[in-house]
Amino acid sequence: MTLLGKISTEIGVHATAEKWFNLFAKQLHDVQHLAERVHGTKLHHGEDWHHNDTIKHWTYVIDGKVTTCHESIESVDEENKTINYKLFGEEIDHKFKVFKLIFQAIDKENHGVIIKWTIEYERVDEEVEPPYGYIEYVHKCTSDIDGNLLKA
């Protein structure tokens, strides 16, 4: 069995793709105030939340357990409203050699908006389960954030 995998989910939202992309591209520090499962985040290394060399420290709930990780931005594609993140740190590294989270805000032809989350990973061994809890986490956070973006 291969240790590589990819899981994705697409979630219809009400706020505009532009609002969503701006939140993750320019106001990432606000996510902790908009999603119930995000307990907090802070700069771990660097001074700019959106610079590729900056490392953020996140505390959140996965599968009912408080979890922490570090995150850095690998790339931002403004035209396609896509951001690639690398997640790492003690609670990730002992299970995964590679853990990437990809955010994309997609304008649909029928004037709807889809938020697509993709997790690309490589497990350290076959005993490690795929990170399905993270898909549940981003799904719940997307719902929370959408409600808050509509209020803004």
Side-chain angles (χ1 to χ4, degrees), residues 26-89:
K26 299 178 178 143
Q27 302 165 334
L28 189 60
H29 56 281
D30 288 338
V31 170
Q32 65 186 321
H33 305 295
L34 303 176
E36 179 184 329
R37 290 191 185 183
V38 178
H39 287 193
T41 187
K42 61 185 176 183
L43 290 175
H44 178 74
H45 174 76
E47 297 179 14
D48 180 354
W49 279 85
H50 305 286
H51 193 276
N52 288 17
D53 292 334
T54 300
I55 297 173
K56 281 78 70 189
H57 180 272
W58 292 83
T59 304
Y60 48 90
V61 177
I62 298 285
D63 295 328
K65 179 182 171 234
V66 175
T67 305
T68 62
C69 79
H70 290 110
E71 166 265 309
S72 64
I73 296 172
E74 290 197 323
S75 65
V76 176
D77 179 347
E78 290 191 34
E79 184 178 335
N80 293 308
K81 296 181 181 73
T82 302
I83 305 172
N84 290 281
Y85 300 96
K86 176 183 176 186
L87 275 60
F88 56 98

Side-chain angles (χ1 to χ4, degrees), residues 62-134:
I62 298 285
D63 295 328
K65 179 182 171 234
V66 175
T67 305
T68 62
C69 79
H70 290 110
E71 166 265 309
S72 64
I73 296 172
E74 290 197 323
S75 65
V76 176
D77 179 347
E78 290 191 34
E79 184 178 335
N80 293 308
K81 296 181 181 73
T82 302
I83 305 172
N84 290 281
Y85 300 96
K86 176 183 176 186
L87 275 60
F88 56 98
E90 187 177 320
E91 294 187 47
I92 299 239
D93 294 348
H94 77 278
K95 295 179 182 179
F96 302 97
K97 293 179 187 176
V98 174
F99 198 101
K100 295 182 181 182
L101 179 64
I102 302 162
F103 163 85
Q104 185 175 16
I106 304 166
D107 282 309
K108 300 305 273 184
E109 292 176 17
N110 63 355
H111 304 292
V113 175
I114 297 288
I115 299 303
K116 181 177 182 181
W117 293 100
T118 303
I119 297 170
E120 296 178 353
Y121 61 91
E122 181 180 356
R123 300 176 293 157
V124 294
D125 61 44
E126 290 185 8
E127 301 296 314
V128 174
E129 293 292 322
Y132 298 118
Y134 277 85

